[in-house]
Amino acid sequence: MAPSDYIQSQELAKQNNDPFFATVVDGRPYLPNFAVNASDAASVGNAAFVSVILSIYIAATNDAANVDKGAAVAAKDTELKTMAGGIVDWQSVLQDPSLASSLKCTKVTGGITNALVRVSGFESLSSKITSVVATLLASNNAGSSSTIHSSLLDFDSVLVRIFGAEGMIDRNVETCTYAALCNADIAYRYLGRFANGRIEGWLDGYVPLQCTDLTHDETSLEIAKEMARLHCIFELPEGELRNHHFGTDLDAITVGLWDQLSSWMQQAKGYAEFKTPYDTERVKKLSLDRIEAEVQKFMASFTANKANGDDTSGDSTASIAGSAEKKNGKGNKKKSPIVFCHNDLLAANIMRHPTQNDIQIIDFEYGGTNYAAFDIANHFNEHAGGTSTEENGETDYSRFPSAERQKGFCVEYVKTMRRLESMKSDLTEPSEPSEEEDPVDAEAMELLEDVQKFILVNHLYWGLWAVNQAAEEGCEEFDYVNYATNRFKEFHGKKAEWGES
């Protein structure tokens, strides 16, 4: 899996004016020339319809039972392939009146980075979809050997994500990572990408959690299990994508936290003016020079920790040995393991089925290699909310979990990590439980010590993110400056409360 395949596709697309020019990247269709207007239902619906057809076509060529299995098989092909153009008259297909009358576009609220739209009605178009897929198969001489299983269209709705945060997220890396997460059954369904967004599966029956849900013990423990599952099970495939996240040094793992924090700090200080004079004045009151001093202090502190043998380091790399020791239950347990983290596990990024109570984590766009303790610290801070359009940057830190609930979360996390690691070990090298392994409570408390280190760092991280979002997108739809103000305010308050120098 290679992010550069998206770049290569974009270069090929420049030589082709066809809006329906498509390649297969990460086993899914990619239409680099097809840009979607979030406010135009027809544009959104067309992108979804074409992507669904091409996803089913890819699955059918691999004789797969569903689009997920088809994509996983196709993703193993390392050669970039273009999808035959000119076979289907897409303009004619999309002008069919039945399309507009069948597909329904509904705006999904709650996200502030991207525009989200649910497109439903695909089941009523199954005959039309099957007909177009059959045409594609016949042209590829695959019709006789490929089967269009009825299970290939096992959904009625998809989610269209139109990207925001331009310049803040490398969408080639992020989409490639999302594909890998879907292939590992961590994220849910990726159906294709277009110029400024992608098509994802719609979680039927699931609803996003509210901040108040995070305070319920049963829900909190389920989230701890899912986070442990992500940290333990997901392994990036070898090659370009893994090298991007973990680095190419076999003796060290790249951790993006400190470089990102430093980059966002410099970016925030580089803005002389914001979208409005009011925003400019409010940002001045944030005293970014003071924030910069705090960032530098933390980075220096963590660098000193590494010099003393602690792998929660302040530079961009950390020892693999420390991470492995933590995962294997050996060595200094105070070393926070370095894993693939979500980094943005707020309530709206956790979906739950109301009757089955299944939890599904979504929106991995800020995911990357990081300290497990940072991911947990971020989740604790997200109890305060503030990121919905309704909250508009207003946070409520009275919901911050108590010491007892923090411990309960960490205990469940450690228990789940141990169980999953044991299962993984048994598959390769069955062994008896170590008598030297620390009690779960003891390891959980040591993990919690690491978490508390990152509580403050996390406020700086998202506070600076919000300042940069305010500069790039303005505060008309969401008050990023208000959110930054509240994150920095809580940072200073917690720092004084904990007696940090």
Side-chain angles (χ1 to χ4, degrees), residues 106-135:
T106 308
K107 183 178 180 181
V108 179
T109 59
I112 58 173
T113 300
N114 309 293
L116 304 173
V117 182
R118 176 186 182 181
V119 181
S120 55
F122 286 95
E123 289 180 347
S124 65
L125 294 167
S126 59
S127 296
K128 186 175 183 63
I129 291 171
T130 300
S131 174
V132 178
V133 172
T135 300

PDB file of all heavy atoms in Angstrom, residues 106-135:
ATOM      1  N   THR A 106     -28.614  13.351   2.481  1.00  0.00           N
ATOM      2  CA  THR A 106     -28.936  13.956   3.770  1.00  0.00           C
ATOM      3  C   THR A 106     -27.653  14.401   4.452  1.00  0.00           C
ATOM      4  O   THR A 106     -26.735  13.597   4.657  1.00  0.00           O
ATOM      5  CB  THR A 106     -29.661  12.952   4.679  1.00  0.00           C
ATOM      6  OG1 THR A 106     -30.771  12.387   3.988  1.00  0.00           O
ATOM      7  CG2 THR A 106     -30.142  13.640   5.952  1.00  0.00           C
ATOM      8  N   LYS A 107     -27.589  15.681   4.806  1.00  0.00           N
ATOM      9  CA  LYS A 107     -26.408  16.196   5.489  1.00  0.00           C
ATOM     10  C   LYS A 107     -26.280  15.569   6.869  1.00  0.00           C
ATOM     11  O   LYS A 107     -27.254  15.455   7.606  1.00  0.00           O
ATOM     12  CB  LYS A 107     -26.490  17.722   5.615  1.00  0.00           C
ATOM     13  CG  LYS A 107     -25.258  18.351   6.253  1.00  0.00           C
ATOM     14  CD  LYS A 107     -25.376  19.868   6.317  1.00  0.00           C
ATOM     15  CE  LYS A 107     -24.134  20.480   6.968  1.00  0.00           C
ATOM     16  NZ  LYS A 107     -24.226  21.960   7.059  1.00  0.00           N
ATOM     17  N   VAL A 108     -25.060  15.156   7.204  1.00  0.00           N
ATOM     18  CA  VAL A 108     -24.781  14.569   8.510  1.00  0.00           C
ATOM     19  C   VAL A 108     -24.125  15.639   9.368  1.00  0.00           C
ATOM     20  O   VAL A 108     -23.086  16.202   8.999  1.00  0.00           O
ATOM     21  CB  VAL A 108     -23.855  13.336   8.394  1.00  0.00           C
ATOM     22  CG1 VAL A 108     -23.555  12.753   9.766  1.00  0.00           C
ATOM     23  CG2 VAL A 108     -24.489  12.284   7.495  1.00  0.00           C
ATOM     24  N   THR A 109     -24.717  15.947  10.500  1.00  0.00           N
ATOM     25  CA  THR A 109     -24.183  16.995  11.374  1.00  0.00           C
ATOM     26  C   THR A 109     -23.206  16.401  12.382  1.00  0.00           C
ATOM     27  O   THR A 109     -23.161  15.196  12.605  1.00  0.00           O
ATOM     28  CB  THR A 109     -25.308  17.710  12.128  1.00  0.00           C
ATOM     29  OG1 THR A 109     -26.027  16.744  12.924  1.00  0.00           O
ATOM     30  CG2 THR A 109     -26.276  18.364  11.170  1.00  0.00           C
ATOM     31  N   GLY A 110     -22.426  17.276  12.999  1.00  0.00           N
ATOM     32  CA  GLY A 110     -21.531  16.842  14.067  1.00  0.00           C
ATOM     33  C   GLY A 110     -20.068  17.021  13.740  1.00  0.00           C
ATOM     34  O   GLY A 110     -19.257  17.297  14.608  1.00  0.00           O
ATOM     35  N   GLY A 111     -19.678  16.871  12.471  1.00  0.00           N
ATOM     36  CA  GLY A 111     -18.274  17.028  12.103  1.00  0.00           C
ATOM     37  C   GLY A 111     -17.943  18.479  11.823  1.00  0.00           C
ATOM     38  O   GLY A 111     -18.756  19.224  11.277  1.00  0.00           O
ATOM     39  N   ILE A 112     -16.723  18.897  12.178  1.00  0.00           N
ATOM     40  CA  ILE A 112     -16.310  20.270  11.894  1.00  0.00           C
ATOM     41  C   ILE A 112     -15.132  20.320  10.913  1.00  0.00           C
ATOM     42  O   ILE A 112     -14.870  21.359  10.337  1.00  0.00           O
ATOM     43  CB  ILE A 112     -15.935  21.044  13.182  1.00  0.00           C
ATOM     44  CG1 ILE A 112     -14.800  20.329  13.940  1.00  0.00           C
ATOM     45  CG2 ILE A 112     -17.143  21.216  14.075  1.00  0.00           C
ATOM     46  CD1 ILE A 112     -14.275  21.124  15.121  1.00  0.00           C
ATOM     47  N   THR A 113     -14.450  19.209  10.709  1.00  0.00           N
ATOM     48  CA  THR A 113     -13.330  19.189   9.771  1.00  0.00           C
ATOM     49  C   THR A 113     -13.815  18.967   8.349  1.00  0.00           C
ATOM     50  O   THR A 113     -13.350  19.622   7.412  1.00  0.00           O
ATOM     51  CB  THR A 113     -12.309  18.103  10.153  1.00  0.00           C
ATOM     52  OG1 THR A 113     -11.796  18.365  11.463  1.00  0.00           O
ATOM     53  CG2 THR A 113     -11.155  18.070   9.165  1.00  0.00           C
ATOM     54  N   ASN A 114     -14.769  18.041   8.164  1.00  0.00           N
ATOM     55  CA  ASN A 114     -15.236  17.668   6.839  1.00  0.00           C
ATOM     56  C   ASN A 114     -16.737  17.927   6.690  1.00  0.00           C
ATOM     57  O   ASN A 114     -17.456  18.038   7.681  1.00  0.00           O
ATOM     58  CB  ASN A 114     -14.985  16.179   6.587  1.00  0.00           C
ATOM     59  CG  ASN A 114     -13.559  15.766   6.889  1.00  0.00           C
ATOM     60  OD1 ASN A 114     -12.637  16.171   6.208  1.00  0.00           O
ATOM     61  ND2 ASN A 114     -13.382  14.964   7.927  1.00  0.00           N
ATOM     62  N   ALA A 115     -17.185  17.980   5.433  1.00  0.00           N
ATOM     63  CA  ALA A 115     -18.623  17.983   5.149  1.00  0.00           C
ATOM     64  C   ALA A 115     -19.030  16.527   4.928  1.00  0.00           C
ATOM     65  O   ALA A 115     -18.385  15.806   4.171  1.00  0.00           O
ATOM     66  CB  ALA A 115     -18.923  18.816   3.910  1.00  0.00           C
ATOM     67  N   LEU A 116     -20.081  16.083   5.605  1.00  0.00           N
ATOM     68  CA  LEU A 116     -20.508  14.689   5.548  1.00  0.00           C
ATOM     69  C   LEU A 116     -21.937  14.602   5.026  1.00  0.00           C
ATOM     70  O   LEU A 116     -22.814  15.343   5.475  1.00  0.00           O
ATOM     71  CB  LEU A 116     -20.431  14.052   6.940  1.00  0.00           C
ATOM     72  CG  LEU A 116     -19.070  14.114   7.656  1.00  0.00           C
ATOM     73  CD1 LEU A 116     -19.200  13.595   9.082  1.00  0.00           C
ATOM     74  CD2 LEU A 116     -18.033  13.330   6.891  1.00  0.00           C
ATOM     75  N   VAL A 117     -22.151  13.676   4.087  1.00  0.00           N
ATOM     76  CA  VAL A 117     -23.479  13.508   3.493  1.00  0.00           C
ATOM     77  C   VAL A 117     -23.792  12.016   3.399  1.00  0.00           C
ATOM     78  O   VAL A 117     -22.975  11.231   2.907  1.00  0.00           O
ATOM     79  CB  VAL A 117     -23.566  14.133   2.085  1.00  0.00           C
ATOM     80  CG1 VAL A 117     -24.975  13.971   1.515  1.00  0.00           C
ATOM     81  CG2 VAL A 117     -23.164  15.604   2.118  1.00  0.00           C
ATOM     82  N   ARG A 118     -24.972  11.641   3.873  1.00  0.00           N
ATOM     83  CA  ARG A 118     -25.445  10.268   3.693  1.00  0.00           C
ATOM     84  C   ARG A 118     -26.203  10.196   2.367  1.00  0.00           C
ATOM     85  O   ARG A 118     -27.094  10.996   2.105  1.00  0.00           O
ATOM     86  CB  ARG A 118     -26.370   9.860   4.832  1.00  0.00           C
ATOM     87  CG  ARG A 118     -26.977   8.467   4.659  1.00  0.00           C
ATOM     88  CD  ARG A 118     -28.004   8.161   5.736  1.00  0.00           C
ATOM     89  NE  ARG A 118     -28.544   6.805   5.602  1.00  0.00           N
ATOM     90  CZ  ARG A 118     -29.471   6.296   6.421  1.00  0.00           C
ATOM     91  NH1 ARG A 118     -29.961   7.026   7.410  1.00  0.00           N
ATOM     92  NH2 ARG A 118     -29.891   5.054   6.228  1.00  0.00           N
ATOM     93  N   VAL A 119     -25.829   9.235   1.531  1.00  0.00           N
ATOM     94  CA  VAL A 119     -26.539   9.000   0.277  1.00  0.00           C
ATOM     95  C   VAL A 119     -27.195   7.635   0.374  1.00  0.00           C
ATOM     96  O   VAL A 119     -26.519   6.619   0.543  1.00  0.00           O
ATOM     97  CB  VAL A 119     -25.594   9.050  -0.942  1.00  0.00           C
ATOM     98  CG1 VAL A 119     -26.381   8.823  -2.227  1.00  0.00           C
ATOM     99  CG2 VAL A 119     -24.860  10.391  -0.999  1.00  0.00           C
ATOM    100  N   SER A 120     -28.514   7.592   0.281  1.00  0.00           N
ATOM    101  CA  SER A 120     -29.259   6.338   0.413  1.00  0.00           C
ATOM    102  C   SER A 120     -30.135   6.094  -0.809  1.00  0.00           C
ATOM    103  O   SER A 120     -30.415   7.009  -1.583  1.00  0.00           O
ATOM    104  CB  SER A 120     -30.117   6.374   1.685  1.00  0.00           C
ATOM    105  OG  SER A 120     -30.967   7.507   1.690  1.00  0.00           O
ATOM    106  N   GLY A 121     -30.549   4.831  -0.980  1.00  0.00           N
ATOM    107  CA  GLY A 121     -31.422   4.466  -2.083  1.00  0.00           C
ATOM    108  C   GLY A 121     -30.787   3.521  -3.082  1.00  0.00           C
ATOM    109  O   GLY A 121     -31.342   3.286  -4.170  1.00  0.00           O
ATOM    110  N   PHE A 122     -29.633   2.948  -2.747  1.00  0.00           N
ATOM    111  CA  PHE A 122     -28.917   2.095  -3.693  1.00  0.00           C
ATOM    112  C   PHE A 122     -29.639   0.771  -3.964  1.00  0.00           C
ATOM    113  O   PHE A 122     -29.539   0.219  -5.064  1.00  0.00           O
ATOM    114  CB  PHE A 122     -27.492   1.828  -3.208  1.00  0.00           C
ATOM    115  CG  PHE A 122     -26.592   3.019  -3.357  1.00  0.00           C
ATOM    116  CD1 PHE A 122     -26.397   3.894  -2.294  1.00  0.00           C
ATOM    117  CD2 PHE A 122     -25.971   3.285  -4.558  1.00  0.00           C
ATOM    118  CE1 PHE A 122     -25.582   5.005  -2.430  1.00  0.00           C
ATOM    119  CE2 PHE A 122     -25.154   4.399  -4.716  1.00  0.00           C
ATOM    120  CZ  PHE A 122     -24.963   5.259  -3.644  1.00  0.00           C
ATOM    121  N   GLU A 123     -30.351   0.261  -2.980  1.00  0.00           N
ATOM    122  CA  GLU A 123     -31.037  -1.017  -3.182  1.00  0.00           C
ATOM    123  C   GLU A 123     -32.084  -0.920  -4.294  1.00  0.00           C
ATOM    124  O   GLU A 123     -32.284  -1.866  -5.063  1.00  0.00           O
ATOM    125  CB  GLU A 123     -31.679  -1.488  -1.878  1.00  0.00           C
ATOM    126  CG  GLU A 123     -30.666  -1.951  -0.837  1.00  0.00           C
ATOM    127  CD  GLU A 123     -31.320  -2.405   0.453  1.00  0.00           C
ATOM    128  OE1 GLU A 123     -32.526  -2.124   0.630  1.00  0.00           O
ATOM    129  OE2 GLU A 123     -30.632  -3.022   1.281  1.00  0.00           O
ATOM    130  N   SER A 124     -32.738   0.222  -4.395  1.00  0.00           N
ATOM    131  CA  SER A 124     -33.752   0.386  -5.440  1.00  0.00           C
ATOM    132  C   SER A 124     -33.132   0.509  -6.824  1.00  0.00           C
ATOM    133  O   SER A 124     -33.833   0.419  -7.839  1.00  0.00           O
ATOM    134  CB  SER A 124     -34.607   1.633  -5.145  1.00  0.00           C
ATOM    135  OG  SER A 124     -33.820   2.812  -5.225  1.00  0.00           O
ATOM    136  N   LEU A 125     -31.814   0.706  -6.865  1.00  0.00           N
ATOM    137  CA  LEU A 125     -31.110   0.848  -8.133  1.00  0.00           C
ATOM    138  C   LEU A 125     -30.270  -0.381  -8.463  1.00  0.00           C
ATOM    139  O   LEU A 125     -29.384  -0.318  -9.327  1.00  0.00           O
ATOM    140  CB  LEU A 125     -30.198   2.088  -8.094  1.00  0.00           C
ATOM    141  CG  LEU A 125     -30.900   3.447  -7.997  1.00  0.00           C
ATOM    142  CD1 LEU A 125     -29.905   4.541  -7.647  1.00  0.00           C
ATOM    143  CD2 LEU A 125     -31.601   3.777  -9.320  1.00  0.00           C
ATOM    144  N   SER A 126     -30.540  -1.484  -7.798  1.00  0.00           N
ATOM    145  CA  SER A 126     -29.699  -2.678  -7.959  1.00  0.00           C
ATOM    146  C   SER A 126     -29.649  -3.171  -9.399  1.00  0.00           C
ATOM    147  O   SER A 126     -28.592  -3.589  -9.891  1.00  0.00           O
ATOM    148  CB  SER A 126     -30.189  -3.794  -7.033  1.00  0.00           C
ATOM    149  OG  SER A 126     -31.538  -4.136  -7.325  1.00  0.00           O
ATOM    150  N   SER A 127     -30.786  -3.132 -10.106  1.00  0.00           N
ATOM    151  CA  SER A 127     -30.817  -3.605 -11.501  1.00  0.00           C
ATOM    152  C   SER A 127     -29.936  -2.731 -12.390  1.00  0.00           C
ATOM    153  O   SER A 127     -29.186  -3.234 -13.247  1.00  0.00           O
ATOM    154  CB  SER A 127     -32.248  -3.614 -12.035  1.00  0.00           C
ATOM    155  OG  SER A 127     -33.046  -4.525 -11.325  1.00  0.00           O
ATOM    156  N   LYS A 128     -30.026  -1.437 -12.196  1.00  0.00           N
ATOM    157  CA  LYS A 128     -29.224  -0.505 -12.993  1.00  0.00           C
ATOM    158  C   LYS A 128     -27.741  -0.688 -12.691  1.00  0.00           C
ATOM    159  O   LYS A 128     -26.897  -0.701 -13.600  1.00  0.00           O
ATOM    160  CB  LYS A 128     -29.647   0.928 -12.698  1.00  0.00           C
ATOM    161  CG  LYS A 128     -28.966   1.970 -13.582  1.00  0.00           C
ATOM    162  CD  LYS A 128     -29.521   3.349 -13.310  1.00  0.00           C
ATOM    163  CE  LYS A 128     -28.909   4.387 -14.243  1.00  0.00           C
ATOM    164  NZ  LYS A 128     -29.234   4.140 -15.657  1.00  0.00           N
ATOM    165  N   ILE A 129     -27.419  -0.837 -11.407  1.00  0.00           N
ATOM    166  CA  ILE A 129     -26.019  -1.029 -11.005  1.00  0.00           C
ATOM    167  C   ILE A 129     -25.466  -2.319 -11.608  1.00  0.00           C
ATOM    168  O   ILE A 129     -24.360  -2.345 -12.171  1.00  0.00           O
ATOM    169  CB  ILE A 129     -25.902  -1.047  -9.465  1.00  0.00           C
ATOM    170  CG1 ILE A 129     -26.200   0.352  -8.903  1.00  0.00           C
ATOM    171  CG2 ILE A 129     -24.518  -1.513  -9.024  1.00  0.00           C
ATOM    172  CD1 ILE A 129     -26.328   0.402  -7.392  1.00  0.00           C
ATOM    173  N   THR A 130     -26.241  -3.388 -11.504  1.00  0.00           N
ATOM    174  CA  THR A 130     -25.813  -4.677 -12.047  1.00  0.00           C
ATOM    175  C   THR A 130     -25.591  -4.591 -13.551  1.00  0.00           C
ATOM    176  O   THR A 130     -24.638  -5.172 -14.090  1.00  0.00           O
ATOM    177  CB  THR A 130     -26.862  -5.762 -11.736  1.00  0.00           C
ATOM    178  OG1 THR A 130     -27.012  -5.869 -10.316  1.00  0.00           O
ATOM    179  CG2 THR A 130     -26.420  -7.107 -12.287  1.00  0.00           C
ATOM    180  N   SER A 131     -26.439  -3.861 -14.240  1.00  0.00           N
ATOM    181  CA  SER A 131     -26.329  -3.717 -15.692  1.00  0.00           C
ATOM    182  C   SER A 131     -25.033  -3.024 -16.086  1.00  0.00           C
ATOM    183  O   SER A 131     -24.331  -3.456 -17.022  1.00  0.00           O
ATOM    184  CB  SER A 131     -27.529  -2.931 -16.230  1.00  0.00           C
ATOM    185  OG  SER A 131     -27.381  -2.666 -17.603  1.00  0.00           O
ATOM    186  N   VAL A 132     -24.690  -1.936 -15.380  1.00  0.00           N
ATOM    187  CA  VAL A 132     -23.456  -1.204 -15.701  1.00  0.00           C
ATOM    188  C   VAL A 132     -22.229  -2.055 -15.369  1.00  0.00           C
ATOM    189  O   VAL A 132     -21.263  -2.093 -16.138  1.00  0.00           O
ATOM    190  CB  VAL A 132     -23.409   0.132 -14.947  1.00  0.00           C
ATOM    191  CG1 VAL A 132     -22.094   0.871 -15.254  1.00  0.00           C
ATOM    192  CG2 VAL A 132     -24.591   1.019 -15.314  1.00  0.00           C
ATOM    193  N   VAL A 133     -22.270  -2.760 -14.229  1.00  0.00           N
ATOM    194  CA  VAL A 133     -21.149  -3.625 -13.848  1.00  0.00           C
ATOM    195  C   VAL A 133     -20.961  -4.726 -14.892  1.00  0.00           C
ATOM    196  O   VAL A 133     -19.828  -5.057 -15.279  1.00  0.00           O
ATOM    197  CB  VAL A 133     -21.377  -4.241 -12.447  1.00  0.00           C
ATOM    198  CG1 VAL A 133     -20.302  -5.294 -12.136  1.00  0.00           C
ATOM    199  CG2 VAL A 133     -21.360  -3.159 -11.376  1.00  0.00           C
ATOM    200  N   ALA A 134     -22.061  -5.306 -15.382  1.00  0.00           N
ATOM    201  CA  ALA A 134     -21.985  -6.355 -16.398  1.00  0.00           C
ATOM    202  C   ALA A 134     -21.338  -5.829 -17.678  1.00  0.00           C
ATOM    203  O   ALA A 134     -20.551  -6.531 -18.330  1.00  0.00           O
ATOM    204  CB  ALA A 134     -23.378  -6.891 -16.696  1.00  0.00           C
ATOM    205  N   THR A 135     -21.639  -4.578 -18.035  1.00  0.00           N
ATOM    206  CA  THR A 135     -21.029  -3.963 -19.217  1.00  0.00           C
ATOM    207  C   THR A 135     -19.521  -3.840 -19.039  1.00  0.00           C
ATOM    208  O   THR A 135     -18.742  -4.131 -19.959  1.00  0.00           O
ATOM    209  CB  THR A 135     -21.634  -2.566 -19.470  1.00  0.00           C
ATOM    210  OG1 THR A 135     -23.033  -2.700 -19.688  1.00  0.00           O
ATOM    211  CG2 THR A 135     -20.979  -1.891 -20.662  1.00  0.00           C
TER     212      THR A 135
END
